[in-house]
Amino acid sequence: MLVGIGYDVHRLGPGRPFILAGVQIPHELGLHGHSDADVVAHALMDALLGAAGLADIGTYFPDTDPAYKDADSMGLLKRVIELLQQEGYRPNNVDLSIICERPKLAPHMPAMKAQLAEALGLPLQRVGLKATTNEAIGFIGRGEGVAALAVVTLKGDA
Ligand code: MG
């Protein structure tokens, strides 16, 4: 069994969609970044790559590469799963925390969880997904950004 950890943060601001785990969430602000800035997918990809002893997502999908401008991060997640398969690994379970002051994410959690399970090829009960606020403290608490943390375990196919 291999374990990996991932973290990501993106800035919140006007003029962008707010996409978490592939789900577009209605909000007056969105996440800024080179890709679609899906922090959940990004933290998860880094955890998966880390568990397999591979390089970080910036190495595979550089934010200087126009190919990844506004990229669908859930599509990139599926490419990471393929990379792992080539290495002989598959996800065993994942656990994610989203740190977001607003909007309230509770109504969107089932859709996010379903997207993650589908991309990972895991049953819903192997996908942990939680959201918390930052208690109005710091940059997340002021609504300037959203962060995500991921822990994964991988199994070897061999
Ligand atoms: Mg990112």
Side-chain angles (χ1 to χ4, degrees):
M1 188 72 77
L2 297 161
V3 179
I5 185 172
Y7 168 80
D8 195 31
V9 61
H10 280 274
R11 193 165 54 83
L12 262 180
R16 291 275 296 183
F18 187 26
I19 297 169
L20 293 178
V23 175
Q24 186 158 346
I25 293 166
H27 192 44
E28 68 269 24
L29 304 176
L31 293 172
H32 284 255
H34 183 65
S35 67
D36 65 4
D38 185 336
V39 285
V40 176
H42 292 185
L44 179 54
M45 282 190 270
D46 256 353
L48 291 163
L49 290 164
L54 298 173
D56 60 32
I57 55 168
T59 305
Y60 289 96
F61 312 116
D63 65 6
T64 50
D65 187 337
Y68 303 116
K69 177 93 179 82
D70 298 322
D72 167 18
S73 295
M74 293 300 279
L76 302 182
L77 172 60
K78 289 177 185 173
R79 285 170 58 183
V80 166
I81 300 295
E82 288 165 10
L83 269 172
L84 296 188
Q85 283 167 351
Q86 287 162 20
E87 300 289 321
Y89 301 122
R90 61 197 152 87
N92 176 64
N93 83 304
V94 307
D95 190 21
L96 295 144
S97 287
I98 307 168
I99 307 111
C100 177
E101 204 67 23
R102 65 187 101 75
K104 286 288 171 216
L105 299 181
H108 309 287
M109 298 296 265
M112 285 192 262
K113 196 165 170 169
Q115 292 273 355
L116 292 165
E118 196 271 329
L120 290 159
L122 286 174
L124 289 172
Q125 63 268 32
R126 292 291 186 101
V127 179
L129 181 66
K130 298 93 62 193
T132 185
T133 71
N134 217 40
E135 294 288 334
I137 299 163
F139 74 90
I140 294 172
R142 289 189 297 270
E144 295 168 9
V146 174
L149 297 162
V151 172
V152 311
T153 61
L154 301 181
K155 276 187 200 165
D157 278 325

